[in-house]
Amino acid sequence: GAGVSQSPSNKVTEKGKDVELRCDPISGHTALYWYRQRLGQGLEFLIYFQGNSAPDKSGLPSDRFSAERTGESVSTLTIQRTQQEDSAVYLCASSLGSRPSYNEQFFGPGTRLTVL
Amino acid sequence: AQTVTQSQPEMSVQEAETVTLSCTYDTSESDYYLFWYKQPPSRQMILVIRQEAYKQQNATENRFSVNFQKAAKSFSLKISDSQLGDAAMYFCAYTMDSNYQLIWGAGTKLIIKP
């Protein structure tokens, strides 16, 4: 079956513009995660969805970041008024359930965002 | 707060040799889970191996095995018979059963020399 897909693969934008990043999880996966990966660093948790609700938005770096999810499918991460420090790879993962202790997270290939 | 530390930014090994990647973590919990993930140049993170803290036996998956030292809070990954396809970034991660977040180390870049 299809894995997690993300689009676009790469996005170059100018400082101050808004961007939308899309994630299509594996069908049937109720949990969805967004992570940010800065160059040479590990993954930084941004937000987690269980179904279409987001119990934990504490990882979002600022109010310029928002995310939504339609049902148990597509999720969109929106960054408004992009800044150069937003440049990173944004990874999406999905899993059957919400506990990574016994629900393997399957990752997409990420979106590389470059803010000029 | 829980933290995960990978002290080796880069490691290199000759093809067919064995290499060990280090990971230490800090937690006050007794029940938790540890993972090693591989991230090839395609960027897609892949689970390599997982270890439950309550299990004394070290996890193994084919050429991949771990050395889990609970008292020392150490969780190293051993790759035997290294292959060119093993070249990637390797990340160590931690979670608790009650948590939905994974806490990640900064990663180790593994280079395989032909």
Side-chain angles (χ1 to χ4, degrees), chain B residues 87-101:
Chain B
M89 287 291 295
Y90 286 81
F91 292 91
C92 179
Y94 161 102
T95 194
M96 297 183 298
D97 192 40
S98 59
N99 210 341
Y100 50 78
Q101 283 194 36

Side-chain angles (χ1 to χ4, degrees), chain A residues 47-78:
Chain A
I47 190 169
Y48 146 69
F49 286 92
Q50 180 60 40
N52 63 2
S53 67
D56 187 357
K57 303 179 182 180
S58 64
L60 295 176
S62 74
D63 59 8
R64 295 187 296 105
F65 287 71
S66 63
E68 60 181 27
R69 186 179 184 194
T70 307
E72 292 185 351
S73 60
V74 173
S75 176
T76 303
L77 176 69
T78 301

Side-chain angles (χ1 to χ4, degrees), chain B residues 51-114:
Chain B
Q51 173 80 42
E52 295 89 341
Y54 63 84
K55 288 187 177 179
Q56 292 186 340
Q57 187 171 7
N58 289 324
T60 63
E61 286 288 342
N62 301 313
R63 297 183 295 106
F64 298 86
S65 61
V66 299
N67 183 6
F68 174 48
Q69 301 288 328
K70 191 172 184 179
K73 297 181 182 175
S74 171
F75 182 61
S76 59
L77 175 70
K78 185 172 84 170
I79 306 174
S80 304
D81 184 27
S82 299
Q83 300 176 1
L84 294 177
D86 295 333
M89 287 291 295
Y90 286 81
F91 292 91
C92 179
Y94 161 102
T95 194
M96 297 183 298
D97 192 40
S98 59
N99 210 341
Y100 50 78
Q101 283 194 36
L102 285 166
I103 298 169
W104 299 80
T108 295
K109 181 178 181 180
L110 179 63
I111 298 167
I112 311 294
K113 298 176 183 177

Side-chain angles (χ1 to χ4, degrees), chain A residues 9 33 35 37 41-43 45 48 56 91 98-102 104-105 107 109-110 112, chain B residues 33 35 37 39 42-45 47 50 91 95-102 104-106:
Chain A
S9 177
Y33 304 79
Y35 296 92
Q37 185 178 23
Q41 298 185 19
L43 275 64
F45 169 82
Y48 146 69
D56 187 357
L91 291 166
S98 59
R99 304 290 189 203
S101 52
Y102 52 87
E104 181 179 347
Q105 292 187 15
F107 285 79
R112 182 181 299 280
Chain B
Y33 301 79
F35 307 83
Y37 278 84
Q39 187 179 39
S42 66
R43 299 198 304 243
Q44 196 146 6
M45 201 74 77
L47 178 64
R50 70 193 295 269
F91 292 91
T95 194
M96 297 183 298
D97 192 40
S98 59
N99 210 341
Y100 50 78
Q101 283 194 36
L102 285 166
W104 299 80

Side-chain angles (χ1 to χ4, degrees), chain A:
Chain A
V4 178
S5 61
Q6 291 186 247
S7 60
S9 177
N10 292 282
K11 175 72 176 178
V12 180
T13 190
E14 293 179 350
K15 179 181 172 181
K17 295 285 179 70
D18 297 351
V19 296
E20 280 191 358
L21 312 180
R22 177 186 168 110
C23 172
D24 282 89
I26 293 172
S27 177
H29 281 194
T30 61
L32 186 146
Y33 304 79
W34 282 100
Y35 296 92
R36 179 169 69 179
Q37 185 178 23
R38 289 197 163 116
L39 186 64
Q41 298 185 19
L43 275 64
E44 176 187 3
F45 169 82
L46 296 180
I47 190 169
Y48 146 69
F49 286 92
Q50 180 60 40
N52 63 2
S53 67
D56 187 357
K57 303 179 182 180
S58 64
L60 295 176
S62 74
D63 59 8
R64 295 187 296 105
F65 287 71
S66 63
E68 60 181 27
R69 186 179 184 194
T70 307
E72 292 185 351
S73 60
V74 173
S75 176
T76 303
L77 176 69
T78 301
I79 309 174
Q80 295 178 311
R81 304 180 303 281
T82 52
Q83 304 293 313
Q84 289 181 333
E85 63 262 27
D86 299 334
S87 296
V89 173
Y90 290 82
L91 291 166
C92 174
S94 71
S95 60
L96 276 173
S98 59
R99 304 290 189 203
S101 52
Y102 52 87
N103 289 289
E104 181 179 347
Q105 292 187 15
F106 293 84
F107 285 79
T111 295
R112 182 181 299 280
L113 176 65
T114 303
V115 182
L116 301 177

